[in-house]
Amino acid sequence: MSTDEVESTYFRRTSRWKLIVVLLIIALIVTIIVSLNVGYAQISFTNILAILGKHFPFLNGFVDSSQVLPRDEAIILQIRLPRIVAGVVVGAALAASGVVYQGVFKNPMADSYLLGVSAGAAVGATFSLLFGAGFSFFGLRLVQIAAFAGALLAMFLVYSISRVGSRVPVTTLLLCGIAVNFFLYAIVALLEVIAGDELHAIVFWLIGGFSNVLWSDIWAITPFIVIGTVATYFYARDLNMLALGEDTAQHLGVNVERTKKILLVLASMVTAAAVSLSGLVGFVGLMIPHITRLVIGPDHRILFPTSTIIGAIFLVVCDAIARVVASPFASTLELPVGIITMLAGAPFFILLFRKKKDSYAL
Amino acid sequence: MLRLVLLNVNGVECRYGSVKVIEDVSFSVKEGDFVGILGPNGSGKTTLLKSISRTLKPHKGTILLNEADIYTLKGIDVAKQLAVVPQDTNIGFSFAALDVVLMGRNPHMSRFQIESSKDMAIAKKAMMVTNTWQFAERPINELSGGEKQRVIIARALAQEPAILLLDEPLTHLDIINQLEIMDLVKELCVKEKLIVLAVFHDLNLAARYCTSAIMLKKGKIFAAGGLPEVLTSENIKGVFNVNAIVKKHLVTNSVFVIPLSPQKPPLSKKCAIHLICGAGTGTALMKVLLDEGYSVTAGVLNVLDTDFETAQFLKIPAATEAPFSPITEKTRKTNLAMISKASMIVLTSVPFGHGNIQNLEAAKEALEKGIPVFVLNEVPIESRDFTQGRATALFDDLKAKGATFVKDQTELLSRLNVSEEKLGLAKEGTAKIFNHLKPGEVHKESDITDKHEKSKGGPENQ
C-alpha cells in the first residue's frame, strides 16, 4: 500500500466512524420495532407503527391509528416498550462500562462486575426483597434503591481498601474486587438459605431480567446511565493511552490517577444503575466490548460508542428471545434475559479460548 | 526564536517505601546536551529517569524545567516538552503502529480535537526517520521487539519534545538499528538542540554518542561531567568493580572501553614466566598467564608497541627499548637478567627483523642455561623471518637444543602447567621469592632481592 493511501485512509476514518454509528443506530431502531412484534399477543407491524406514530410528537399527524385496539396499544406501550427500552438502557450501560473496565485494567477479560458492583447490588437487593417488600420512594421500589446503594458502597469499599497513598494500582483493585465479591456473595448465599418464600424472587433478581419493569423505573434510572456514558465518552482518547499502560499515559500528558478515578466511578455508577433496573444480567459487559474490539479495533473513540449501541441491540434481541423461547412448552412462561445472555456467553468464552489456545499454553 | 531549555535536578532523593534508591542527586543540563546515565544494576538509573519523567515524585529535592517545578506543572504541559522512551513496552491491545505514534500528539490536542493533517504530517515524519512508516497500519502487538521499540521512539518524537528521556532504549535492537536510532537521536540533539538523557548499559555506545555522563553508584552520583572525564578506567573500576581499558578509538575518535573479566582469586602457581614477544603477539597471553597464576615478565619490548602497552596496563615488568629502535646492549642485558630469574620462557610467533633478532638469541641463551623454552609456533618462521634466514637458523637451533614447540595457546597452557608442576618441586627456593611478590611489583633485579630481604627483615622494617 502506498504511503498516501495510508494517510487518506486515516483521514477518511472520521467519516467512516460517523457512518458506522449512524448505521448502528438504524439497526437499533429496526431491532426495537421488530422485537415489539415479538410476544404472546399477535400485533401486526402496521399496528405497531401506528401506535408508535400516534405518540411521536411530529409523526402523529400522518398516522391513521383508527384500526388499533386499545388492548394492543396497552400491550405495546405499557408492557413491551418499557421492557425494550430497559433492554436498550441496560445493554448500553453494561457494554459501555465493560469497555471502560477493559481499557483501564488493560485486560480484555475484565468486565463491568469486576469491582464488587454486582455483589454489592446483590446484597442490597436480597436484603430489601427479604425485609422491605412493598416500600417505595419517588416511584422507585426499595429493591432498586437498595441495589443501587449496595453497588456503590461495594465499589467504594473496594476502592478505599486498594488505595495506596494517593494511587490506586490496578492489580490491588482487581484482587480487592475479587475478595469483596466473594465476601458479599457469601452474604447473599446466607440470605438465600434463610429466605424461605422470598427465595424465588431473589433467584430471579440474581439471574437478571425485565419482567416487572415500569416506566417510572426507567425514568428514574436512565439519567444516571446517560450522564455517565456521555461523560465517559469525553475520556475516550485518555482510555486509548491508559490501554498502553499507566506510565505511558502519564508520559503523554494524561493525569492518570485522576482520570482513572473518574472513569471507574462513572463506569461503576452506570453499572450500578443498570443492575438496579434489571438485576445481574451477565456477560454483556464482557462479551460485547470484546466482540466489538475484534471487528472495530481498539480505538476507544469508536469502540466506546459502537460497543454501547451493540450492547443495547444484543440485550433487546436476547430479551425478545427470552419472551418467546419457552412458549412452545408453556405459553405464558417468560425466561429471565440473564439466562439467554449467559447461554450465549459461555459458548463465546469457549470459542475465544479455542481460538487463542496457543497463547494460553505454557 | 531563541529559547533556552534547561533542566535542573536539585538534591533529589527518591524512596520506595523506606528504602532510599537515589540520594542527593543534583545536576543541570542545557539544550544540545546528550547525557549518558551510567551505573551498574540497582544504582538508581531508572529511578532517576522516573523522577524526571514525573512518574515517581522525589521525597526530597526539586526538578526544574526552565525554572518551573515539573511536579507543580500540569502533566500535559510537561508532556509538550518532555518525552519518554521506556525500558520495555508491552501493549495488550492491537493498536496500529500509526495510532500509537499519533498518540504522541495528545499533549498538543484539546480534549475534543481529532488529529489534524498537521498532526498526521508530524507523526509521518517521526515514522519516516525511525524507519517505521512501512508498517504504519500493522498492529503494534504483532511487530518484533526492535520494530516496536522504533515505533515507541517515533511516538516520543511525535511529541516534539525539548527533552528526550531514554531508558535503555536499545535493549531489543540489533546492532544496525542501535546505530541508526542513536545516530538519529544524536542528530536531533545537535540540530534541534534537544536535551537527551539516556540510560545506557553499553559503555561504548554511551562513549560514542554522549557529550557528558553521570555515573551513579548506590543511588549517588559517583562522577559527572564531560564524557572523557567521567568514563575513565578508575571510575569504571570504582562503580562497576571491573578493570577496563579505556582508549580513544582511531576511527570513531571517541573513547572506547574494553572491560576485562573480573579478577579471579589468584591461583598459587609458583613459577615465573618470561615472555618474549612484540608487535601484539604477547598481548592475549599476558592476561591469560596472569589469570593462570603465573608471575609474568616480558622483553624486550619497544615503547609504544601494543605488547608494551598491555604490559604497562597489566603492570607486567618488562625490559623496554626506545620506540622503533633496535635492541641495545644495555636492554639486552636487562632482558637476560629477567630471563635468568624466570622458570620458563615463552616465545610467541613474533616476526623477527634485525631490530629484535637479539630476542631470539636470548631464547637460545636461556635454553643453554637450562631454562625450558616453549615456542608458540602459530605462524611458520619462514614467513616472519626478515633477517635473510638468520632467524630461521636460530629457530632450527632452538628445536635441536630441545625447545618445546606448541601449535596453539591451549596446548601451550597445558604444557606449561605440566612443566610447572615438575619445576615447582625442584625450584622451591626461587618460588619463595616470587610468592612474596604480586605481579607488577617486580621492576628491577634489585626489587626482588630488596623485598626478599624485607620479608625476612626485623622490626626496624615494620
Side-chain angles (χ1 to χ4, degrees):
Chain A
M1 179 177 280
S2 88
T3 58
D4 292 338
E5 263 179 80
V6 175
E7 274 179 280
S8 57
T9 311
Y10 261 73
F11 286 125
R12 279 202 309 271
R13 195 172 60 168
T14 324
S15 41
R16 204 176 67 230
W17 284 355
K18 281 176 189 153
L19 184 70
I20 291 171
V21 171
V22 169
L23 288 177
L24 280 173
I25 288 173
I26 293 169
L28 176 63
I29 292 167
V30 170
T31 311
I32 291 170
I33 293 168
V34 170
S35 66
L36 278 170
N37 179 249
V38 176
Y40 179 66
Q42 300 291 320
I43 303 168
S44 70
F45 278 111
T46 330
N47 284 351
I48 290 170
L49 290 176
I51 293 164
L52 288 180
K54 191 176 161 187
H55 293 270
F56 253 93
F58 302 107
L59 291 177
N60 49 13
F62 306 97
V63 176
D64 173 22
S65 53
S66 54
Q67 303 297 313
V68 177
L69 298 170
R71 184 204 68 167
D72 288 353
E73 196 174 332
I75 289 174
I76 293 294
L77 292 181
Q78 297 310 321
I79 298 173
R80 290 190 190 168
L81 196 57
R83 281 186 76 133
I84 288 166
V85 172
V88 169
V89 171
V90 171
L94 292 178
S97 59
V99 171
V100 174
Y101 282 113
Q102 289 179 5
V104 170
F105 288 97
K106 297 177 284 293
N107 188 341
M109 287 295 150
D111 81 341
S112 16
Y113 295 156
L114 204 66
L115 295 189
V117 171
S118 59
V123 171
T126 314
F127 257 109
S128 66
L129 288 170
L130 271 186
F131 306 115
F135 180 87
S136 78
F137 181 78
F138 283 115
L140 274 178
R141 282 165 290 173
L142 179 66
V143 59
Q144 286 162 342
I145 298 166
F148 191 63
L152 289 185
L153 277 175
M155 192 268 291
F156 280 113
L157 182 69
V158 169
Y159 202 83
S160 47
I161 295 173
S162 45
R163 202 173 59 196
V164 181
S166 62
R167 290 169 62 95
V168 188
V170 287
T171 335
T172 48
L173 260 180
L174 210 67
L175 290 172
C176 288
I178 291 168
V180 168
N181 261 329
F182 268 107
F183 182 78
L184 294 177
Y185 274 125
I187 297 177
V188 173
L190 179 72
L191 292 174
E192 282 180 306
V193 168
I194 61 166
D197 292 346
E198 307 293 340
L199 184 61
H200 188 255
I202 294 172
V203 168
F204 259 71
W205 192 90
L206 289 177
I207 296 170
F210 301 109
S211 34
N212 298 314
V213 169
L214 304 172
W215 278 115
S216 59
D217 303 336
I218 293 170
W219 293 133
I221 292 295
T222 307
F224 290 101
I225 292 173
V226 171
I227 290 168
T229 309
V230 171
T232 303
Y233 185 65
F234 295 156
Y235 289 90
R237 205 142 45 84
D238 300 61
L239 267 173
N240 282 348
M241 282 172 280
L242 280 174
L244 297 191
E246 289 184 15
D247 282 359
T248 300
Q250 188 249 317
H251 296 151
L252 294 173
V254 178
N255 188 336
V256 170
E257 288 304 320
R258 203 191 65 179
T259 309
K260 209 162 66 178
K261 267 176 223 168
I262 292 171
L263 285 172
L264 288 180
V265 168
L266 285 175
S268 302
M269 180 186 83
V270 165
T271 313
V275 295
S276 71
L277 191 61
S278 66
L280 301 183
V281 176
F283 275 110
V284 180
L286 172 72
M287 189 162 108
I288 296 301
H290 212 120
I291 294 173
T292 314
R293 191 177 296 107
L294 286 175
V295 180
I296 298 283
D299 194 323
H300 288 84
R301 288 175 291 185
I302 183 68
L303 175 64
F304 184 78
T306 47
S307 283
T308 307
I309 303 168
I310 292 174
I313 295 173
F314 173 75
L315 203 54
V316 170
V317 171
C318 282
D319 187 48
I321 295 169
R323 267 181 282 155
V324 292
V325 75
S327 56
F329 314 106
S331 58
T332 53
L333 177 66
E334 289 184 358
L335 292 180
V337 70
I339 289 179
I340 305 296
T341 59
M342 282 187 271
L343 279 177
F348 169 75
F349 242 155
I350 293 162
L351 216 69
L352 196 76
F353 178 75
R354 284 182 64 85
K355 208 178 145 194
K356 297 205 166 178
K357 208 158 42 176
D358 293 340
S359 54
Y360 293 110
L362 290 172
Chain B
M1 191 182 80
L2 237 122
R3 62 173 185 151
L4 189 67
V5 181
L6 272 172
L7 182 72
N8 279 301
V9 176
N10 302 316
V12 164
E13 176 182 318
C14 285
R15 295 180 181 188
Y16 288 122
S18 59
V19 182
K20 275 185 205 167
V21 183
I22 54 173
E23 195 181 347
D24 196 26
V25 171
S26 302
F27 60 91
S28 76
V29 284
K30 62 173 194 316
E31 55 182 38
D33 283 348
F34 195 134
V35 185
I37 299 174
L38 312 173
N41 294 335
S43 57
K45 305 181 297 287
T46 298
T47 307
L48 177 60
L49 275 202
K50 274 190 180 171
S51 70
I52 299 171
S53 66
R54 234 173 148 268
T55 310
L56 183 72
K57 196 175 180 182
H59 198 256
K60 264 189 220 162
T62 52
I63 295 161
L64 305 178
L65 174 59
N66 294 331
E67 295 176 0
D69 190 331
I70 59 161
Y71 283 90
T72 56
L73 288 171
K74 273 185 170 175
I76 196 153
D77 293 328
V78 175
K80 278 175 196 160
Q81 304 237 40
L82 188 146
V84 184
V85 176
Q87 218 168 65
D88 52 75
T89 312
N90 192 7
I91 296 172
F93 294 116
S94 53
F95 286 102
L98 179 55
D99 281 324
V100 173
V101 176
L102 280 170
M103 283 187 214
R105 297 305 299 157
N106 180 62
H108 302 277
M109 291 159 70
S110 73
R111 185 165 290 287
F112 303 106
Q113 233 175 336
I114 202 129
E115 291 90 354
S116 66
S117 52
K118 185 186 161 227
D119 293 317
M120 187 65 178
I122 291 166
K124 183 178 174 181
K125 192 181 154 216
M127 293 188 84
M128 296 292 244
V129 294
T130 51
N131 198 15
T132 51
W133 181 250
Q134 68 271 25
F135 43 79
E137 294 194 307
R138 296 243 319 266
I140 181 105
N141 49 6
E142 288 174 15
L143 299 179
S144 77
E147 291 169 333
K148 206 189 289 180
Q149 192 68 354
R150 272 147 59 206
V151 172
I152 302 304
I153 292 168
R155 184 186 66 203
L157 297 181
Q159 279 176 257
E160 299 192 302
I163 302 175
L164 190 59
L165 304 183
L166 305 163
D167 191 357
E168 289 175 41
L170 307 169
T171 317
H172 299 292
L173 301 183
D174 54 33
I175 187 144
I176 180 70
N177 278 316
Q178 289 190 353
L179 295 176
E180 276 177 9
I181 292 289
M182 290 321 292
D183 283 342
L184 166 70
V185 172
K186 181 77 186 174
E187 192 186 316
L188 289 167
C189 182
V190 173
K191 278 193 191 157
E192 318 271 327
K193 295 279 170 223
L194 224 64
I195 292 179
V196 180
L197 267 95
V199 168
F200 282 103
H201 265 311
D202 187 331
L203 297 178
N204 282 314
L205 273 172
R208 187 149 167 193
Y209 293 101
C210 299
T211 50
S212 47
I214 293 167
M215 235 184 219
L216 291 174
K217 185 185 184 181
K218 291 178 183 161
K220 289 183 184 167
I221 292 185
F222 185 87
L227 186 99
E229 290 84 62
V230 174
L231 204 62
T232 61
S233 53
E234 291 76 30
N235 285 344
I236 293 171
K237 175 78 183 162
V239 169
F240 293 94
N241 196 25
V242 162
N243 289 313
I245 303 167
V246 180
K247 276 188 171 181
K248 198 161 195 143
H249 196 278
L250 301 168
V251 177
T252 60
N253 200 29
S254 57
V255 174
F256 75 99
V257 179
I258 302 166
L260 304 170
S261 305
Q263 217 121 48
K264 289 176 208 149
L267 298 162
S268 56
K269 288 264 168 55
K270 289 161 183 164
C271 286
I273 290 178
H274 186 77
L275 206 52
I276 297 176
C277 52
T281 57
T283 294
L285 260 183
M286 289 180 190
K287 175 84 167 84
V288 172
L289 292 176
L290 283 179
D291 284 349
E292 284 284 316
Y294 293 104
S295 324
V296 181
T297 57
V300 175
L301 300 173
N302 284 95
V303 173
L304 295 185
D305 184 282
T306 310
D307 282 345
F308 166 79
E309 292 192 349
T310 312
Q312 269 215 322
F313 181 79
L314 295 171
K315 303 200 171 76
I316 287 174
T320 56
E321 188 52 76
F324 306 109
S325 309
I327 296 166
T328 58
E329 186 55 26
K330 190 171 159 244
T331 324
R332 198 182 73 87
K333 287 218 168 111
T334 320
N335 195 32
L336 284 177
M338 282 181 154
I339 285 176
S340 62
K341 292 285 171 241
S343 331
M344 295 184 277
I345 310 297
V346 172
L347 178 64
T348 64
S349 309
V350 58
F352 286 104
H354 294 293
N356 68 340
I357 190 76
Q358 287 93 331
N359 274 348
L360 197 52
E361 283 162 356
K364 194 181 132 196
E365 282 179 51
L367 206 55
E368 281 160 357
K369 278 184 195 165
I371 304 170
V373 174
F374 295 83
V375 181
L376 185 56
N377 197 18
E378 287 170 322
V379 183
I381 183 69
E382 291 77 18
S383 63
R384 51 187 168 98
D385 179 0
F386 302 99
T387 57
Q388 288 87 38
R390 230 179 110 200
T392 316
L394 275 165
F395 224 69
D396 292 339
D397 209 10
L398 281 179
K399 206 176 244 175
K401 288 203 162 75
T404 315
F405 278 63
V406 294
K407 61 178 190 309
D408 57 23
Q409 190 177 302
T410 321
E411 193 190 345
L412 174 69
L413 284 178
S414 64
R415 291 292 187 92
L416 286 175
N417 285 342
V418 171
S419 178
E420 185 266 340
E421 275 172 33
K422 283 187 214 152
L423 283 168
L425 299 167
K427 287 206 174 184
E428 197 91 19
T430 326
K432 261 183 191 154
I433 297 172
F434 282 101
N435 265 353
H436 295 298
L437 301 166
K438 292 180 196 118
E441 286 184 342
V442 189
H443 290 287
K444 293 193 289 286
E445 204 179 325
S446 59
D447 277 354
I448 299 171
T449 37
D450 285 356
K451 286 194 181 163
H452 190 47
E453 291 307 313
K454 258 185 216 165
S455 66
K456 295 194 295 191
E460 74 273 11
N461 287 333
Q462 300 289 302

